[in-house]
């Protein structure tokens, strides 16, 4: 199994990159949020989930071990495959997704292609207990949703608003402060 890859980005497509590591180029699927910050020729080090099926071997790359672990946790949910798990991880930062699970907000997950209401509820039911040991982050989900709604009301598209909110430090408790930090990121 491949655990990590370090090399230069030689190609970018809509959902994957190719990382050259000397004489071999690896096709690695990444989240759109990670993809947005990558450039061809850039050095990159990713932790990898190797997905093996009868007819294919697919690599999924993440910038942190915490993201990889959460991706693998999502794969334990019945009905969630790697593409759906990657879609879920594209919604927001891992902590925000965990807080949506803790608060039982299934509507967050139905925004992912291929995930309906039943699968979204299954994600919440199957992962809530596993995440309970980490402590409840339910208030974070409500504040994140409010900040996202405010940015969209100001005319920003949902993907760019979500990415801007990922840059807000976790310690920021005030909703107005979160929006202000996100707006600074969006104005760059």
């Amino acid at each position: 199994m491949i655990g990590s890859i370090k090399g230069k980005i030689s190609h970018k497509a809509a959902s994957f990159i190719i990382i050259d590591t000397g004489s071999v180029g690896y096709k690695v699927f990444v989240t759109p949020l990670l993809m947005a910050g990558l450039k061809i020729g850039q050095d990159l080090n990713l932790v990898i989930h190797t997905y093996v099926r009868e007819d294919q071997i697919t690599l999924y790359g993440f910038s942190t071990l915490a993201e990889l672990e959460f991706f693998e946790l999502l794969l334990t949910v019945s009905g969630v495959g790697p593409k759906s798990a990657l879609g879920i991880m594209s919604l927001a930062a891992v902590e925000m997704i965990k807080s949506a699970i803790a608060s039982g907000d299934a509507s967050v997950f139905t925004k992912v292609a291929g995930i309906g209401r039943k699968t979204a509820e299954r994600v919440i039911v199957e992962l809530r207990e596993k995440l309970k040991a980490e402590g409840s982050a339910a208030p974070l989900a409500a504040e994140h949703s409010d900040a996202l709604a405010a940015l969209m009301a100001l005319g920003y598209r949902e993907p760019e608003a979500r990415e801007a909110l990922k840059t807000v430090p976790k310690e920021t408790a005030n909703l107005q402060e979160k929006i202000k930090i996100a707006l600074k990121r969006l104005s760059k």
Side-chain angles (χ1 to χ4, degrees):
M1 295 277 219
I2 297 172
S4 69
I5 295 178
K6 183 176 184 176
K8 285 191 182 294
I9 299 171
S10 64
H11 181 76
K12 273 179 68 173
S15 61
F16 68 89
I17 57 174
I18 294 179
I19 301 178
D20 280 331
T21 60
S23 60
V24 178
Y26 293 94
K27 180 179 180 181
V28 181
F29 289 88
V30 296
T31 65
L33 296 172
L34 176 59
M35 178 75 77
L38 300 178
K39 294 180 175 69
I40 292 178
Q42 173 183 345
D43 285 325
L44 186 63
N45 188 11
L46 295 176
V47 288
I48 300 292
H49 174 82
T50 307
Y51 182 73
V52 180
R53 279 187 33 182
E54 186 177 296
D55 58 343
Q56 69 181 2
I57 297 175
T58 311
L59 304 177
Y60 294 89
F62 305 93
S63 35
T64 66
L65 192 56
E67 290 174 344
L68 172 65
E69 289 170 347
F70 187 68
F71 176 81
E72 291 174 341
L73 184 65
L74 287 169
L75 293 178
T76 65
V77 176
S78 174
V80 175
K83 291 198 183 208
S84 296
L86 200 63
I88 289 171
M89 294 195 61
S90 298
L91 294 172
V94 170
E95 290 305 314
M96 294 298 169
I97 297 168
K98 286 180 180 180
S99 68
I101 291 169
S103 66
D105 188 2
S107 65
V108 169
F109 303 105
T110 57
K111 294 175 181 161
V112 176
I115 295 192
R117 188 92 184 139
K118 286 183 180 179
T119 304
E121 290 171 355
R122 194 175 310 122
V123 167
I124 290 168
V125 168
E126 291 185 25
L127 296 184
R128 186 180 279 164
E129 290 302 314
K130 293 177 183 177
L131 296 174
K132 197 175 262 186
E134 294 179 19
S136 177
L140 276 175
E143 283 186 22
H144 182 72
S145 295
D146 291 345
L148 180 64
L151 291 171
M152 289 174 62
L154 291 171
Y156 293 100
R157 292 179 299 122
E158 185 175 351
E160 62 188 352
R162 284 187 187 281
E163 182 162 342
L165 286 171
K166 283 184 84 171
T167 65
V168 176
K170 294 176 191 170
E171 311 81 57
T172 308
N174 186 322
L175 179 62
Q176 285 87 7
E177 191 64 28
K178 284 183 180 196
I179 295 169
K180 194 182 295 185
I181 293 169
L183 285 170
K184 283 181 185 176
R185 165 82 163 90
L186 288 165
S187 66
K188 289 183 180 179

Coordinates of all heavy atoms in Angstrom, one line a residue, residues 5-8 19-26:
I5 N 3.1 10.2 -0.8 CA 3.8 10.5 -2.1 C 4.4 11.9 -2.0 O 3.7 12.9 -1.6 CB 2.8 10.5 -3.3 CG1 2.3 9.0 -3.5 CG2 3.5 11.0 -4.6 CD1 1.3 8.9 -4.6
K6 N 5.6 12.1 -2.4 CA 6.3 13.4 -2.5 C 6.9 13.6 -3.9 O 7.5 12.7 -4.4 CB 7.4 13.4 -1.4 CG 8.1 14.7 -1.3 CD 9.1 14.7 -0.2 CE 9.7 16.1 0.0 NZ 10.7 16.1 1.1
G7 N 6.5 14.7 -4.5 CA 7.0 15.0 -5.8 C 6.5 16.3 -6.3 O 6.0 17.1 -5.6
K8 N 6.6 16.5 -7.6 CA 6.2 17.7 -8.3 C 4.9 17.4 -9.1 O 4.7 16.4 -9.6 CB 7.2 18.2 -9.3 CG 8.4 18.8 -8.7 CD 9.2 19.5 -9.8 CE 10.5 20.1 -9.2 NZ 10.3 21.2 -8.3
I19 N 1.3 13.4 -9.8 CA 2.5 13.8 -9.1 C 3.7 12.9 -9.6 O 3.6 11.7 -9.6 CB 2.4 13.6 -7.6 CG1 1.2 14.4 -7.0 CG2 3.7 13.9 -6.8 CD1 1.0 14.1 -5.5
D20 N 4.7 13.6 -10.2 CA 5.9 12.9 -10.6 C 6.9 12.8 -9.5 O 7.2 13.7 -8.8 CB 6.6 13.7 -11.8 CG 5.9 13.5 -13.1 OD1 5.3 12.4 -13.3 OD2 5.9 14.4 -13.9
T21 N 7.3 11.5 -9.3 CA 8.3 11.2 -8.2 C 9.5 10.6 -8.9 O 9.8 9.4 -8.6 CB 7.7 10.2 -7.2 OG1 7.3 9.0 -7.9 CG2 6.5 10.8 -6.5
G22 N 10.2 11.3 -9.7 CA 11.3 10.8 -10.4 C 10.8 10.3 -11.8 O 10.5 11.1 -12.6
S23 N 10.8 9.0 -11.9 CA 10.4 8.4 -13.2 C 9.0 7.9 -13.2 O 8.6 7.3 -14.2 CB 11.4 7.3 -13.6 OG 11.4 6.3 -12.6
V24 N 8.2 8.0 -12.2 CA 6.9 7.5 -12.1 C 5.9 8.7 -11.8 O 6.2 9.5 -10.9 CB 6.7 6.4 -11.0 CG1 5.3 5.9 -11.0 CG2 7.7 5.3 -11.3
G25 N 4.8 8.8 -12.5 CA 3.8 9.8 -12.2 C 2.6 9.1 -11.6 O 2.1 8.1 -12.2
Y26 N 2.1 9.5 -10.5 CA 0.9 8.9 -9.8 C -0.3 9.8 -10.0 O -0.2 11.0 -9.7 CB 1.2 8.7 -8.3 CG 2.3 7.7 -8.0 CD1 3.6 8.1 -7.9 CD2 1.9 6.4 -8.0 CE1 4.6 7.1 -7.6 CE2 2.9 5.4 -7.7 CZ 4.2 5.8 -7.5 OH 5.2 4.9 -7.3

